[in-house]
Structures are given as C-alpha cells and as structure tokens.
C-alpha cells in the first residue's frame, strides 16, 4: 500500500495566525491509473481524485482523496498533510513536512494507516529544475517497519507551457529481511512524464516502469490524467 498527510497534534490556534493571509484552492482530477511509486493502487484501473489546499507562500495544509482497489474491501484513501516551504536563495529551495495516509471501506482498512515525513530539495537553473526528494515512514502501512523512498528528478520546459519530467526513485525497507514486494526488500521506479495546460485544465501523460518482476500492477504502463484547480 501506499501519497501525502497531517497530524492532529497541530492545533487550530497554532494555524490561525498563518492562515490570515492564506489562499484556498480545490482540485478535481481523473487518472487512467493511480500509481504510487510505480505500483498501481487501483488494480490497473482509473481513479477519481480530489484535493483541498490552504496556505501561504511558505506554509500549507491540505487533504487529498482517491478511490483504491487492493483486491479486498478497502475502497478509498484519504491523506492529510502539513508542510513548510523555504526559499533558500534565488535558485535553491526546501519543502518539508509530514503526511498521514488513511484507508477506508472496512473495519480492518484502518490497520494500514501510517505517517510519513518528507524533505524535498530543489535547485533551479537555466537547464531546468532538479530535485532530490526523501520520504521516511517509521510504521509503513501500519506493519511496524521502517520504509524510505529516495528520488532524483529533473524537469525541463521544452517550450512555453510544455514540461518534461524524468525521475528515478527507490523504495526500500530499512530491514532487508522484510520482503514487501514478492520477495524483494527494495525496488526501483522509472518515470518520464509530460505536462501542459489547456483552457485551465492540467493535462499529463507518463510512461513508467519498475524493477519488480512478475507483478502486473508494477510493469510498464502509460498513465494519463486531467485535472482542474479552483481558486477561492
């Protein structure tokens, strides 16, 4: 199982002063397949996804929801997240925060809930935008195991409004004895995506694959998506 989330430890009183100048937005979208680190979360089927974000230039909080299909009665994922953005220089930036993933559909679905901390380091140049992104979960999928994802990505505008993004990431259990993917404790995910906007709609098309073998939920695939963001 599993995308981004938030802890109840942050009180509304702490958030109110920051939100005084905040912006609110909502996003609705459809994807041909909801993949997480290259693995389908919808049994290779489509997903309807909804998001709500509230924040300032350097602080944000939000929620994100999607349908899922893991072969049982779990039918939905709802994530919440809290983060802070730091512009270190004209070129360098850091985005850090914590996410909390929750699953719904049957009583046992909640057993897979877990939190994850992340740090995303960006560097802009005339050649595009390079990222080094890190995620760490200390109770991955509610199973008590440490799990990390490291990603190296680069985005480049091939023309105004047309962006290519290539990324390579590795998912790994901290304990190599944990075999979470068909006998493997880690695997690599490759992705090449294209993004553009038409009449206010964000469009994406990507080809991705993983090093996992004999897994039709993680093999070579094309994923298309369309979404629209509403500003309030």
């Amino acid at each position: 199982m599993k995308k981004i989330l938030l802890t109840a430890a942050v009180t509304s009183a702490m958030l109110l002063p920051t939100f005084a100048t905040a912006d609110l937005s909502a996003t609705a979208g459809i994807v041909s397949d909801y993949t997480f680190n290259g693995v389908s979360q919808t049994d290779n089927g489509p997903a309807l996804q909804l998001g709500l974000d509230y924040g300032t230039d350097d602080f944000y909080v939000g929620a994100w929801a999607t349908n899922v299909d893991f072969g049982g009665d779990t039918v939905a994922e709802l994530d919440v997240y809290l983060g802070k953005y730091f512009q270190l220089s004209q070129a360098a930036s850091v985005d850090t925060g914590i996410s909390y993933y929750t699953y719904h559909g049957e009583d046992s679905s909640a057993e897979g809930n877990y939190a994850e901390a992340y740090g995303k380091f960006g560097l802009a140049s005339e050649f595009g935008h390079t990222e080094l992104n890190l995620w760490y979960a200390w109770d991955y999928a509610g199973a008590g195991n440490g799990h990390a994802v490291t990603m190296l990505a680069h985005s480049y505008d091939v023309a105004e409004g047309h962006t290519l993004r290539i990324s390579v990431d590795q998912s790994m259990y901290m304990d190599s004895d944990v075999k979470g993917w068909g006998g493997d404790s880690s695997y690599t995910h490759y992705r090449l995506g294209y993004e553009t906007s038409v009449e206010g709609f964000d469009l994406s098309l990507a080809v991705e694959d993983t090093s996992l073998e004999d897994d039709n939920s993680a093999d070579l695939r094309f994923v298309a998506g369309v979404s629209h963001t509403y500003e309030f």
Side-chain angles (χ1 to χ4, degrees):
M1 294 170 65
K2 285 243 133 10
K3 174 167 174 35
I4 310 181
L5 301 147
L6 162 72
T7 61
V10 180
T11 66
S12 59
M14 294 171 61
L15 299 178
L16 284 175
T18 305
F19 285 164
T21 58
D23 293 322
L24 177 66
S25 65
T27 300
I30 299 175
V31 291
S32 59
D33 189 357
Y34 166 33
T35 60
F36 181 73
N37 298 333
V39 180
S40 178
Q41 309 292 287
T42 47
D43 193 24
N44 303 316
L48 172 64
Q49 301 175 336
L50 304 172
L52 185 66
D53 291 281
Y54 198 30
T56 65
D57 289 340
D58 59 359
F59 176 84
Y60 58 90
V61 60
W64 184 84
T66 180
N67 58 287
V68 296
D69 184 356
F70 302 124
D73 292 328
T74 299
V75 297
E77 174 187 341
L78 173 62
D79 307 338
V80 291
Y81 48 90
L82 171 70
K84 186 171 178 59
Y85 182 82
F86 301 88
Q87 189 68 48
L88 303 180
S89 68
Q90 186 174 358
S93 63
V94 175
D95 180 8
T96 185
I98 189 167
S99 304
Y100 189 68
Y101 307 93
T102 68
Y103 299 91
H104 309 270
E106 57 183 340
D107 292 342
S108 61
S109 296
E111 296 176 1
N113 297 354
Y114 70 99
E116 184 176 64
Y118 60 88
K120 304 177 181 181
F121 306 89
L123 184 63
S125 72
E126 60 180 308
F127 304 106
H129 187 264
T130 303
E131 307 165 40
L132 174 61
N133 302 330
L134 308 170
W135 294 265
Y136 177 70
W138 49 94
D139 183 23
Y140 188 63
N145 301 309
H147 177 270
V149 180
T150 58
M151 172 189 286
L152 182 63
H154 184 76
S155 300
Y156 181 75
D157 292 338
V158 294
E160 184 176 357
H162 300 270
T163 302
L164 288 179
R165 185 173 189 271
I166 186 170
S167 62
V168 179
D169 56 85
Q170 184 173 35
S171 298
M172 68 197 84
Y173 282 101
M174 297 295 94
D175 183 351
S176 60
D177 291 333
V178 178
K179 309 298 182 182
W181 301 282
D184 295 318
S185 61
S186 67
Y187 73 93
T188 306
H189 168 224
Y190 314 90
R191 187 178 188 274
L192 175 63
Y194 164 74
E195 301 169 356
T196 191
S197 295
V198 178
E199 299 295 331
F201 287 87
D202 296 322
L203 309 178
S204 65
L205 178 63
V207 56
E208 54 186 313
D209 198 3
T210 75
S211 61
L212 294 173
E213 299 179 356
D214 302 322
D215 187 344
N216 64 5
S217 68
D219 54 11
L220 180 67
R221 68 194 56 228
F222 290 91
V223 180
V226 57
S227 65
H228 182 71
T229 298
Y230 304 86
E231 305 284 349
F232 299 99

